[in-house]
Amino acid sequence: MNDQSEQWRYHHGDLRAALLDAAERSVRAHGAAQLSLRDLAREVGVSHAAPRRHFADRQELLDALAEAGFTRLGESIRRAVEQTGEGFAARTRHAVSAFAHFATENPALLELMNSTKHQGAPSTARAAEAAFEPIVELIREGQTQNVLEAGEPEELGLILYATVNGITMLVSTNMVPAERLDELTDTAVRQFLRGAAGEAHSQAR
Amino acid sequence: MNDQSEQWRYHHGDLRAALLDAAERSVRAHGAAQLSLRDLAREVGVSHAAPRRHFADRQELLDALAEAGFTRLGESIRRAVEQTGEGFAARTRHAVSAFAHFATENPALLELMNSTKHQGAPSTARAAEAAFEPIVELIREGQTQNVLEAGEPEELGLILYATVNGITMLVSTNMVPAERLDELTDTAVRQFLRGAAGEAHSQAR
DNA sequence: ACCTGAACACCGTTCAAGT
DNA sequence: ACCTGAACACCGTTCAAGT
């Protein structure tokens, strides 16, 4: 009993966090499809029925994992925007780069986040919205500076988000080698800024 | 024995096709994660070990399904391009629309096609390449007409492909309502054509 | 060549019972 | 409140055996 104390302290009162931690490693290593609740329980040192107290079923755990993923993604994007002060184009490039590298460094997690299944999980949907927020704010900034055309900032934000997400998928599915990630996102951002340019800039050409 | 003859005729010598057919319906209805080989065997009227003759394991069947999906997607895009003769912008809009609607009408299939797992399946990768071909040809056409800037057509094609794929994912994950699909792809195409415009057009503005 | 039936080692989920 | 252990109804995969 004494030599198990470390394991006990780890999940005592925090089995939920311990399970999420083990689940994240499992998803990273083998993908969400291979994740086994019984495996996680074993790894954490608890009976196979214990997770039930914290997650009603397998999907609920996957939803929680996706939610955490969106939260981290949003933080990563927000950090990138805040730490860049050299003008709108550079801020956009850094935000996109943060997104793209987070996605390609966590391909299985992003597959889970992009999965159809967590449609019904409201907290996951909220986390996804929150991750998207810094991008909308960035677009708004570009519109204020008249670098981007006027209009609904959400629309432009969605297109930028979709483009970057799509590019990372090309890499994660091996349709494109990882070495081309930066080249593709740079071209995409450059064209986005041109295609959505405000009057002042598109006339200055 | 006689009243089973229809079922027999259906898969006799073509169990593979019968399984793929049932699998496609199952994926469409419940997603690839829920697909069960034993279920398919039951539905087709064969023992649970019979599929083994045609698919080494579950993943091989999913790979074949993804491959068929890419083939149909490519055909759909190619048809859209060929049936439109009213200039490059319209051809691009139609190709993108065909892609977007195929994707949102078959969300579970696209999730499978975008899955990390079929990385190792060469025939699936070839089918994905083939589906991408009509888009590259379209870009080449735009460059020839100097509507698009010169350069590697594959690069522009990948960005367009990624953007549309990403937009359909926003819809399939319910981040955006399906009613906004056309609005988003139209805006995306318009901005793509502006952002990747050749000299002749960008100066004419 | 193609399929069957039993067997193996797993699953997720449920639930009475323990502390 | 939180966890256990047995039980249930499934899986995918393997393999000897049948035709």
Side-chain angles (χ1 to χ4, degrees):
Chain A
M1 254 263 196
N2 263 340
D3 47 340
Q4 290 185 355
S5 58
E6 266 206 353
Q7 211 173 34
W8 269 93
R9 239 185 292 128
Y10 181 45
H11 77 252
H12 187 64
D14 215 1
L15 176 54
R16 192 192 139 94
L19 287 168
L20 279 176
D21 211 72
E24 198 194 311
R25 284 194 302 273
S26 174
V27 166
R28 182 186 303 274
H30 311 109
Q34 302 295 324
L35 182 125
S36 149
L37 286 183
R38 286 175 107 112
D39 249 2
L40 297 183
R42 265 190 295 268
E43 194 165 335
V44 168
V46 94
S47 90
H48 67 262
R52 243 296 124 162
R53 294 285 132 195
H54 304 277
F55 303 99
D57 56 21
R58 209 186 93 111
Q59 188 57 48
E60 208 166 90
L61 191 150
L62 292 178
D63 290 345
L65 227 47
E67 181 184 343
F70 277 118
T71 302
R72 282 196 287 149
L73 171 62
E75 282 166 357
S76 170
I77 296 175
R78 175 156 271 137
R79 242 193 328 268
V81 175
E82 282 170 359
Q83 289 175 357
T84 316
E86 321 147 32
F88 180 72
R91 288 158 76 80
T92 305
R93 269 198 308 274
H94 278 82
V96 163
S97 179
F99 185 175
H101 282 94
F102 181 90
T104 53
E105 281 158 19
N106 303 276
L109 180 59
L110 244 94
E111 199 169 332
L112 178 62
M113 289 156 65
N114 287 328
S115 156
T116 314
K117 280 317 197 57
H118 65 68
Q119 290 178 355
S123 64
T124 304
R126 271 195 305 272
E129 283 299 324
F132 179 56
E133 251 304 298
I135 293 181
V136 178
E137 283 171 28
L138 191 67
I139 299 292
R140 223 175 258 128
E141 180 187 324
Q143 292 176 321
T144 302
Q145 299 180 12
N146 204 23
V147 179
L148 295 181
E149 62 184 7
E152 193 52 66
E154 195 216 13
E155 174 117 343
L156 287 185
L158 286 170
I159 289 171
L160 183 59
Y161 185 94
T163 302
V164 181
N165 202 2
I167 289 174
T168 65
M169 234 153 60
L170 295 175
V171 171
S172 295
T173 59
N174 283 354
M175 201 167 143
V176 151
E179 301 87 63
R180 292 189 62 186
L181 177 64
D182 290 334
E183 162 207 335
L184 279 169
T185 52
D186 283 355
T187 305
V189 168
R190 183 164 43 79
Q191 293 189 353
F192 174 80
L193 293 176
R194 267 221 278 170
E199 290 305 312
H201 282 73
S202 60
Q203 287 181 348
R205 202 165 180 280
Chain B
M1 252 258 197
N2 264 340
D3 48 339
Q4 291 186 356
S5 58
E6 266 206 354
Q7 209 172 36
W8 269 93
R9 239 185 291 127
Y10 182 44
H11 77 251
H12 186 64
D14 215 2
L15 176 56
R16 192 190 140 93
L19 287 169
L20 279 176
D21 212 71
E24 198 194 310
R25 285 195 302 271
S26 173
V27 166
R28 182 187 302 275
H30 312 108
Q34 302 295 324
L35 183 126
S36 150
L37 286 184
R38 285 175 107 111
D39 250 2
L40 297 183
R42 265 189 295 268
E43 194 164 335
V44 168
V46 94
S47 90
H48 66 261
R52 250 264 143 169
R53 294 284 132 196
H54 303 276
F55 303 100
D57 56 20
R58 209 186 93 111
Q59 188 57 48
E60 209 168 88
L61 191 149
L62 292 178
D63 290 345
L65 227 47
E67 181 185 343
F70 276 118
T71 302
R72 284 196 286 148
L73 172 61
E75 282 166 358
S76 169
I77 296 175
R78 176 156 270 136
R79 242 194 327 268
V81 175
E82 281 170 359
Q83 289 175 357
T84 315
E86 323 147 28
F88 180 72
R91 288 158 75 78
T92 305
R93 269 198 309 273
H94 279 81
V96 163
S97 178
F99 185 175
H101 282 93
F102 181 91
T104 52
E105 281 158 19
N106 303 276
L109 180 58
L110 244 94
E111 198 169 332
L112 178 62
M113 290 156 64
N114 287 329
S115 155
T116 315
K117 279 319 197 53
H118 64 69
Q119 290 178 355
S123 64
T124 304
R126 271 194 305 273
E129 284 298 325
F132 179 56
E133 250 305 297
I135 294 181
V136 177
E137 283 171 27
L138 191 67
I139 299 291
R140 223 175 258 127
E141 180 188 324
Q143 291 176 323
T144 303
Q145 300 180 11
N146 204 24
V147 178
L148 294 181
E149 63 185 7
E152 192 52 66
E154 195 217 13
E155 175 116 343
L156 287 185
L158 285 171
I159 289 171
L160 182 59
Y161 185 93
T163 301
V164 181
N165 203 3
I167 289 174
T168 65
M169 233 153 59
L170 294 175
V171 171
S172 295
T173 59
N174 283 353
M175 202 165 142
V176 151
E179 302 87 63
R180 291 190 63 186
L181 177 64
D182 290 334
E183 163 207 334
L184 280 169
T185 51
D186 283 355
T187 304
V189 167
R190 182 164 43 79
Q191 292 189 352
F192 174 79
L193 294 177
R194 267 222 277 171
E199 290 305 314
H201 283 71
S202 60
Q203 287 182 348
R205 198 164 183 282

